[in-house]
Amino acid sequence: DAGVIQSPRHEVTEMGQEVTLRCKPISGHNSLFWYRQTMMRGLELLIYFNNNVPIDDSGMPEDRFSAKMPNASFSTLKIQPSEPRDSAVYFCASTLEGGGLGNEQFFGPGTRLTVL
Amino acid sequence: SQKIEQNSEALNIQEGKTATLTCNYTNYSPAYLQWYRQDPGRGPVFLLLIRENEKEKRKERLKVTFDTTLKQSLFHITASQPADSATYLCALVVYNQGGKLIFGQGTELSVKP
């Protein structure tokens, strides 16, 4: 298996532009997580899905952020409009989850986002 | 308030020594605790999981302890090697939150030859 795939790996955009980050989880995994990592705040959970359904989006910073999972093999995280403070590395992770067992999560390589 | 704290200072040790990293938490009742390794420019990689009813878990040169009374986990790397240099993250899994992980800030470990 290729692992969790994220694209793009790097994104540089200007303030006010729409940004879409993409994630393909490991085949057979039923939970998908979006994280944001910065030096100041560390690794923060933004939202997670179980069986394609959003379960907890309490970490989404504001309405400019939205995430979808239209099927088991694809998810997007969208920022519209983007702001310089959104600059961070965004990770997607997946796992096979059942009953809150807390199984190990498999992380993608991340997308480094820079908003100018 | 709820907090997870790891050594904020980088840990520098000599090759061959044992590295000990600390993870303290407050106002959480974790069901599990996990440790991850993160190299620069990469995503975290899972190392070990320990359950609340386990005191200790080992895997090769790694050992994790979990003390729910002290609200602390210790992560040990014995016979450390320069290749062990990385940032190590602890993460809590809390009951009834669907396997959601809550991460500490991480501790950077540097092993000098």
Side-chain angles (χ1 to χ4, degrees):
Chain A
D1 199 318
V4 175
I5 298 172
Q6 291 187 247
S7 65
R9 293 294 311 277
H10 302 273
E11 175 83 29
V12 179
T13 191
E14 292 192 346
M15 184 174 66
Q17 296 298 305
E18 177 180 297
V19 175
T20 299
L21 311 182
R22 297 173 176 80
C23 176
K24 177 177 167 52
I26 291 173
S27 177
H29 283 183
N30 62 353
S31 289
L32 183 142
F33 305 79
W34 282 102
Y35 292 90
R36 178 172 67 177
Q37 188 173 41
T38 60
M39 287 293 292
M40 287 296 294
R41 300 176 67 93
L43 193 61
E44 302 174 282
L45 178 66
L46 300 177
I47 184 172
Y48 78 93
F49 296 83
N50 184 257
N51 294 321
N52 311 337
V53 175
I55 302 299
D56 184 344
D57 65 354
S58 59
M60 296 285 261
E62 47 198 274
D63 291 346
R64 298 184 297 105
F65 285 69
S66 63
K68 292 182 180 178
M69 191 163 186
N71 57 63
S73 59
F74 183 65
S75 177
T76 58
L77 178 68
K78 186 176 293 186
I79 308 172
Q80 165 65 18
S82 57
E83 296 183 3
R85 60 192 166 120
D86 301 330
S87 297
V89 181
Y90 291 80
F91 288 103
C92 175
S94 72
T95 191
L96 181 59
E97 185 55 50
L101 294 178
N103 292 333
E104 65 176 285
Q105 294 185 10
F106 294 80
F107 282 76
T111 295
R112 180 173 296 276
L113 173 65
T114 303
V115 184
L116 303 173
Chain B
S1 62
Q2 296 176 316
K3 277 195 297 188
I4 303 171
E5 291 182 325
Q6 297 187 246
N7 316 55
S8 56
E9 300 288 324
L11 185 61
N12 297 302
I13 65 167
Q14 204 67 32
E15 182 176 10
K17 300 293 187 185
T18 296
T20 299
L21 286 67
T22 305
C23 178
N24 295 300
Y25 59 91
T26 54
N27 295 324
Y28 283 111
S29 294
Y32 302 84
L33 193 144
Q34 299 184 8
W35 283 88
Y36 286 76
R37 169 183 172 141
Q38 186 173 24
D39 291 284
R42 295 179 167 250
V45 175
F46 173 81
L47 295 174
L48 281 169
L49 177 154
I50 188 166
R51 294 176 174 80
E52 62 169 343
N53 60 350
E54 296 177 318
K55 295 295 186 190
E56 183 180 297
K57 187 74 86 61
R58 292 177 185 259
K59 180 181 174 183
E60 297 172 353
R61 294 184 296 111
L62 309 181
K63 184 178 87 170
V64 172
T65 64
F66 193 12
D67 189 325
T68 55
T69 301
L70 291 179
K71 297 186 183 300
Q72 181 181 78
S73 175
L74 297 178
F75 177 81
H76 305 272
I77 305 174
T78 58
S80 60
Q81 304 166 1
D84 296 325
S85 299
T87 295
Y88 292 85
L89 300 158
C90 70
L92 303 183
V93 179
V94 181
Y95 280 117
N96 302 321
Q97 293 199 24
K100 181 168 102 171
L101 291 180
I102 304 163
F103 280 89
Q105 291 274 70
T107 297
E108 185 179 346
L109 172 67
S110 178
V111 181
K112 304 294 185 189

